Structure formats: structure tokens, C-alpha cells
Amino acid sequence: MSRAGVLVTGGSRGIGRAIVGELVAAGYPCVFTWVQDQAAAEATLAAVRERHPGATVESLQLDVRDPAAVDAVVDEATERLGTIGGLVNNAAIARNNAAVMMSNEEWDDVLRTDLFGPFYVARALLMHFLSHRDGRIVNISSVAAGGCSGGVNYAAAKAGLEGMTRTLAREYGGRGVRCNAVSVGYVPTDLTAASLSARLESYWTEYCPLRRVATGEEVARVVRFLISDDSSFVNGEVLSVAGGLTYSP
Ligand SMILES: NC(=O)c1ccc[n+]([C@@H]2O[C@H](COP(=O)([O-])OP(=O)(O)OC[C@H]3O[C@@H](n4cnc5c(N)ncnc54)[C@H](OP(=O)(O)O)[C@@H]3O)[C@@H](O)[C@H]2O)c1
């Protein structure tokens, strides 16, 4: 079966890398982006190509904070994939600090990367989706959207992303575009290593009903479901992939 391509932002490392692997394994041609770690992007590309010889998978550099760059990369990805039917807004950063200590730069950088960026990419691809009357957007959110001590910038960005998810679902569902989000609990990655990882990891293993943290692959399988026709009547949902623990300390 031939499938329309998918653009995955921040596919070079962590959960994004697992999402690219899962989508390519399911037969979706993919373009994934990275911003500064070219070596990680090349390693991901090589690993996925080795595992799936002949599959279409490519990488492009993109800073999602730059709307002009987003438009250019969406054009380039469309050219490489022929047609794009899916977007996974995965790229994000965390820069934790207590609210009273948080610098303008820490606040702005996280909001620009984790909220403005996903909007720029979704907006650029929506024009394309609407012209085909078909598109699936999956935004990667976090249980931290409900509040997260030490991450007021991250919580605000992810809560905004969930509002954006429900809004796009309403605005464009009638024109063939579905938009959903995945609310991730805890997956050990570079992002969590940079933000209070030891404390958070023990919190998850103690309080999560499944008594463990997740793998990127466990998130990726749900993303694949939301991109696929198997979720054809799922729209505007924030699906929790958090082992039953939806509260961040
Ligand atoms: N890990 C968790 O426990 C957890 C929990 C809840 C939600 N999430 C969400 O899951 C998603 C993936 O997180 P992760 O833990 O896998 O993160 P990660 O390992 O730190 O990977 C982040 C990815 O985003 C890219 N990126 C960062 N800034 C960017 C920018 N300005 N423009 C474009 N790309 C950029 C990075 O590219 P480079 O490699 O080039 O730097 C990398 O590919 C994020 O949305 C995160 O908020 C994660």
C-alpha cells in the first residue's frame, strides 16, 4: 500500500527518533528535521535506512523558531516526498528554573520552540493538507501541561499546544484534517537528562501504576495510530501515554 509522507520535527534523537523508526517501518515515507546535532541526525538516518532498505527517509535542518525557515523546509520536504499527509510536531526543549528566577531568555526560548514552532509548522502544512482535503497532525505534549514545578515555561507551552490541538481539530476537521496530541509521561532522553532527571525518574517508578518509565517506542506506536486511518474518527483528543500517572510533581 502506498502511503503519503510524514514530516517529523526533531526526529534526530529521543522520542522523535523512535517515531521516525516506527513510521518508516509502517511504510510511511518520512522527512525528519534536526537543528544542531548533525551527527545524531546522520546516525538516525543511517540506522533507519539500514533497517529498512529502499525506504524513503530523509533529514533536513530546521529551527522551528524561524517561521521563514519553516516555510522553506515544508516546501523542500513536500518536493522530496511528493505529497505530505502527516505532521508530527515533536521538536521541543526544556529550560527549567523556578518561576521567580526564570530569565526572559529561558521563558522566550521554550515558548518559541515548544509552542510557536509547532504552530508555524502546522500552519505551513495546513495549506497543503487543505488542498488535498486530507491531513493528520499529531502534537507531542506532556503531562506537564497540567502543571510542572520548575517548568512554568514548559507547562505553559504544552498547555498552549493542547489548546492549539483542539482548535485546529475544530477549524479543519470538516475539511479532512484531523489534529490530535499525545501527552507523554516520562521517557529517559537527552531532554530529561538536562532537567532534574534523577528526581523525576524515581518519582515515575514509584508513583506510576505501571511502576516504570516509558520507552520512546511505546510513544511512537501511539503516534503511528494517530497518523494512520485506524484513528479515522479520533479528532481533537489529547491521548495520554503515561502509564496511568497524569500528574507531574
Ligand atoms: N522525554 C520525556 O520524558 C518527555 C515527556 C513529555 C513530553 N516529551 C516531549 O516529547 C518530545 C520529544 O522529546 P525528547 O525527550 O525526545 O527530546 P530530545 O531527546 O531532547 O530531542 C529533541 C529533538 O528536538 C530537536 N529540536 C530542539 N530544538 C529545536 C528547534 N529549535 N528547532 C527544531 N528542532 C529542535 C532536537 O534537534 P537536535 O538533535 O538537532 O538538537 C531533537 O531532535 C518533545 O515534544 C517533548 O516535550 C518528552
Side-chain angles (χ1 to χ4, degrees):
M1 186 204 305
S2 83
R3 299 186 188 277
V6 180
L7 178 65
V8 181
T9 65
S12 49
R13 293 187 280 122
I15 296 168
R17 174 184 285 181
I19 292 169
V20 171
E22 180 71 26
L23 291 173
V24 170
Y28 292 94
C30 279
V31 168
F32 71 85
T33 70
W34 53 283
V35 66
Q36 45 86 28
D37 193 342
Q38 184 165 10
E42 283 170 3
T44 298
L45 203 54
V48 176
R49 283 180 175 162
E50 189 182 325
R51 198 151 182 200
H52 306 284
T56 300
V57 54
E58 304 206 33
S59 71
L60 293 170
Q61 187 176 21
L62 170 66
D63 186 340
V64 296
R65 295 170 295 188
D66 177 351
V70 165
D71 291 346
V73 161
V74 164
D75 285 349
E76 176 69 27
T78 308
E79 205 158 287
R80 294 199 190 188
L81 292 173
T83 182
I84 301 186
L87 162 65
V88 183
N89 260 324
N90 169 77
I93 57 167
R95 294 185 64 180
N96 283 18
N97 210 343
V100 292
M101 302 295 289
M102 188 162 287
S103 66
N104 293 342
E105 205 229 331
E106 286 166 331
W107 172 262
D108 291 358
D109 200 19
V110 169
L111 268 289
R112 288 176 64 216
T113 307
D114 298 8
L115 180 60
F116 294 17
F119 173 70
Y120 298 146
V121 187
R123 182 179 61 185
L125 268 170
L126 270 168
M127 297 309 293
H128 185 76
F129 292 160
L130 292 172
S131 70
H132 293 89
R133 293 192 71 81
D134 187 23
R136 299 101 203 259
I137 300 172
V138 180
N139 294 320
I140 307 300
S141 189
S142 166
V143 295
C148 135
S149 186
V152 65
N153 47 2
Y154 188 77
K158 292 301 189 183
L161 187 65
E162 293 183 6
M164 185 178 107
T165 301
R166 297 187 184 98
T167 302
L168 296 182
R170 287 180 199 182
E171 275 188 26
Y172 300 107
R175 293 159 75 184
V177 180
R178 294 188 292 111
C179 184
N180 293 289
V182 172
S183 174
V184 178
Y186 187 93
V187 177
T189 64
D190 296 339
L191 182 142
T192 53
S195 59
L196 310 172
S197 100
R199 187 171 70 82
L200 265 185
E201 188 148 346
S202 60
Y203 167 82
W204 278 89
T205 46
E206 186 171 355
Y207 294 110
C208 175
L210 297 183
R211 298 288 184 270
R212 63 176 179 85
V213 298
T215 65
E217 287 69 22
E218 288 175 305
V219 176
R221 288 196 287 273
V222 178
V223 172
R224 189 243 304 141
F225 165 71
L226 290 173
I227 285 287
S228 79
D229 288 339
D230 289 344
S231 58
S232 53
F233 210 63
V234 182
N235 190 32
E237 291 295 329
V238 178
L239 203 50
S240 179
V241 184
L245 179 60
T246 53
Y247 184 86
S248 185

